[in-house]
Amino acid sequence: MVKAVFFDIDGTLVSFNTHKISENSKKALKELKSKGIKVFIASGRALFQLDNLENLEFDGYIMINGCNCFINENGSLKEIYKISLDKNDLFSLINYLNKDRFPCSIITANNIHINYADDVIKTLYTMAKVNIPEVVDFNEYIINNHDKILQLNIFVDENKEKYLMNEVLKNSESSRWHFSFADVNHKGSGKNVGIDKIIEYYGIDLSETMAFGDGGNDIGMIKHAAIGVAMGNANENVKKIADYITDDVDNDGVYKALKHFNLVDF
């Protein structure tokens, strides 16, 4: 019996095209809750970046790819887990950027900053309808805030990503849900870790979980949950490891999968 369902946001619950949640998905989420099934967000975003979930209520939030987790207790959020990036990796990054500069953003629990914003960065953020982060001096910022940094976004191709992870960010791991950048988090973290933190808190067994996703940062979660669902618009490497592949986000993929597994009745 499924007692907890975890949803990625972008490309899963929320369409990249409309930037909205479908009416059937909203209705399905409300029906899950009415049946006593807990619903959770599992996102690469930070909590302060949540701006597209409308007025839907969730039982908890796995944020920053599992590095910051919250429980919703009677409308008040309680933080139950947080892990920052390795200090040595961050100082190694400073040294590397002084020699070979590329766009990189830093995410803490409360804000996001970037080392510089070129035309590509400006275009990406404009397309995503997100404000360009404040530009800061990375050397100074990292020195003063290294213990608060939970994630990096490195705006590089896959070959450069592999080099950075092997030579610069050795105590971290990367995941990619968009071709233009990769998320970097503490090694051994991930949305799957977030699931464990959440279900431990609620006393739910892993065999009673389901997870939905579409991008590279959802792979660990989809493999980990008892039932892992890939969206029809998911990357091929995500579909390969999923237990079930549903329709696209723009064709009510979330609702159709919940209907397939007899979790909703309409």
Side-chain angles (χ1 to χ4, degrees), residues 4-266:
V5 188
F6 298 82
F7 299 95
D8 171 55
I9 300 175
D10 302 290
T12 300
L13 269 184
V14 177
S15 166
F16 283 119
N17 296 316
T18 67
H19 303 286
K20 294 182 179 180
I21 304 172
S22 75
E23 291 304 315
N24 277 337
S25 292
K26 293 179 192 177
K27 187 176 177 181
L29 291 175
K30 291 176 181 177
E31 184 173 327
L32 290 178
K33 288 183 67 65
S34 73
K35 292 180 174 181
I37 299 172
K38 296 191 178 298
V39 294
F40 302 95
I41 286 297
S43 175
R45 295 181 183 225
L47 193 66
F48 72 89
Q49 294 176 303
L50 293 185
D51 59 2
N52 55 358
L53 297 176
E54 303 175 38
N55 61 348
L56 291 173
E57 183 178 323
F58 294 87
D59 295 292
Y61 301 84
I62 296 171
M63 309 310 301
I64 314 183
N65 292 320
C67 293
N68 204 192
C69 300
F70 301 83
I71 292 300
N72 187 347
E73 290 189 339
N74 301 316
S76 179
L77 294 184
K78 174 183 177 181
E79 183 180 83
I80 62 169
Y81 180 71
K82 182 193 291 183
I83 186 168
S84 58
L85 282 162
D86 184 85
K87 176 182 176 180
N88 292 326
D89 281 11
L90 291 169
F91 281 89
S92 179
L93 177 67
I94 288 177
N95 293 332
Y96 184 85
L97 287 172
N98 288 334
K99 298 178 292 184
D100 181 14
R101 194 172 75 146
F102 61 85
C104 179
S105 63
I106 280 177
I107 300 174
T108 68
N110 301 311
N111 54 45
I112 178 170
H113 297 294
I114 197 165
N115 57 341
Y116 72 97
D118 57 16
D119 289 340
V120 174
I121 295 297
K122 292 175 182 176
T123 299
L124 283 170
Y125 277 86
T126 299
M127 288 175 61
K129 297 185 177 181
V130 176
N131 292 331
I132 297 171
E134 177 187 359
V135 175
V136 296
D137 181 304
F138 259 33
N139 290 32
E140 180 181 349
Y141 190 87
I142 289 174
I143 289 170
N144 293 327
N145 299 280
H146 59 83
D147 59 333
K148 300 181 181 68
I149 298 170
L150 307 182
Q151 179 169 291
L152 303 172
N153 293 137
I154 51 174
F155 294 84
V156 296
D157 61 26
E158 292 187 15
N159 289 330
K160 184 72 166 283
E161 174 192 346
K162 289 177 182 177
Y163 173 82
L164 291 170
M165 301 315 297
N166 288 330
E167 303 297 330
V168 181
L169 302 167
K170 298 179 181 180
N171 302 296
S172 305
E173 60 186 32
S174 62
S175 56
R176 185 178 288 262
W177 60 271
H178 193 279
F179 69 90
S180 63
F181 67 91
D183 296 339
V184 177
N185 302 99
H186 194 284
K187 185 172 287 185
S189 60
K191 294 182 181 182
N192 54 302
V193 175
I195 287 179
D196 286 342
K197 299 298 180 183
I198 293 282
I199 63 175
E200 178 183 1
Y201 182 90
Y202 278 110
I204 296 171
D205 192 79
L206 187 61
S207 64
E208 300 168 319
T209 60
M210 172 185 280
F212 286 74
D214 71 300
N217 61 341
D218 297 317
I219 289 176
M221 171 176 73
I222 290 173
K223 290 174 67 175
H224 192 58
I227 302 173
V229 180
M231 304 300 291
N233 51 280
N235 298 337
E236 287 305 313
N237 59 339
V238 180
K239 291 179 179 178
K240 286 180 181 177
I241 55 87
D243 299 301
Y244 181 75
I245 301 171
T246 187
D247 209 336
D248 291 6
V249 61
D250 290 304
N251 290 314
D252 275 326
V254 165
Y255 160 69
K256 289 177 180 177
L258 293 173
K259 181 73 172 177
H260 172 80
F261 287 100
N262 298 312
L263 294 178
V264 295
D265 300 324
F266 69 98

